[in-house]
Amino acid sequence: MNDAQSSLVSIHAIVWIALMAALTAAGAVVAIPVVPFSPVPITLQSMFVLLSGLILGPKGGAFAMLLYLAAGCLGLPVFTGGKAGLAAFLGPTGGFLIGFVPTAILCGFAKSTPVKPLWALLLYCLAAQAVTLGIGTAQLAFLLQISVGKALAVGVIPFLPGAVLKCIGAAFIYRFLAVRRLLPA
């Protein structure tokens, strides 16, 4: 590969990283409260976190999520409910945000050639989603000073059906893009 081709590949990767960060921010716009007593809403963010890892691999997925989190830290209203700043990380849902980076990394290990079967992609997504839910639950329990069981009841259990649907959606979207060779190199 010559220098010009290498530069184009780098630019292509940067564009995909920025796109996945932007889609994650867009996924935060629609927030649906699940239960009245839970501070955690349903959003599409986690599906884009999974897709970031699947599409970009562990390193690119991590960079996309770090870009998204940095944008929010710098004051852009990219978090759920238009929130921004470091305070979002210190609140009850901050653990879910923090979990995005390791989730994208874990899901990124599924990226390979040839494309993995759908069931394998789904397993990667489910395992990665468990990371976000685990870190989020830990911070929720700590900050609200509630038991882990109570934190699971308000921060995880109501979200399990949606989490599974987002995993299925991410796996299908990735397969669609991969089969048509629309993914970055």
Side-chain angles (χ1 to χ4, degrees):
M1 185 179 311
N2 64 34
D3 288 339
Q5 288 173 323
S6 179
S7 294
L8 285 176
V9 169
S10 296
I11 291 169
H12 192 229
I14 290 168
V15 168
W16 271 95
I17 288 168
L19 174 65
M20 294 314 298
L23 286 171
T24 305
V29 171
V30 177
I32 304 165
V34 177
V35 286
F37 53 83
S38 176
V40 184
I42 291 177
T43 68
L44 286 177
Q45 287 170 295
S46 56
M47 186 178 79
F48 292 115
V49 173
L50 298 169
L51 276 171
S52 293
L54 290 172
I55 290 171
L56 302 171
K59 187 172 148 185
F63 283 147
M65 291 306 99
L66 288 170
L67 178 60
Y68 167 70
L69 297 174
C73 282
L74 293 172
L76 294 175
V78 296
F79 300 141
T80 303
K83 293 180 183 152
L86 288 175
F89 290 97
L90 304 175
T93 60
F96 296 98
L97 292 171
I98 293 165
F100 286 176
V101 176
T103 295
I105 291 169
L106 180 59
C107 219
F109 290 119
K111 184 176 178 169
S112 66
T113 304
V115 179
K116 292 194 177 350
L118 197 56
W119 65 267
L121 294 171
L122 189 55
L123 288 178
Y124 273 98
C125 289
L126 290 169
Q129 190 78 301
V131 171
T132 296
L133 294 174
I135 295 170
T137 299
Q139 183 161 330
L140 193 62
F142 177 76
L143 288 180
L144 297 182
Q145 297 181 351
I146 57 177
S147 69
V148 171
K150 177 90 174 179
L152 287 169
V154 298
V156 174
I157 293 171
F159 300 92
L160 289 178
V164 171
L165 289 174
K166 290 180 220 175
C167 287
I168 292 168
F172 270 103
I173 291 169
Y174 174 74
R175 288 271 308 172
F176 176 85
L177 294 172
V179 167
R180 284 157 184 76
R181 297 181 185 181
L182 299 173
L183 298 173

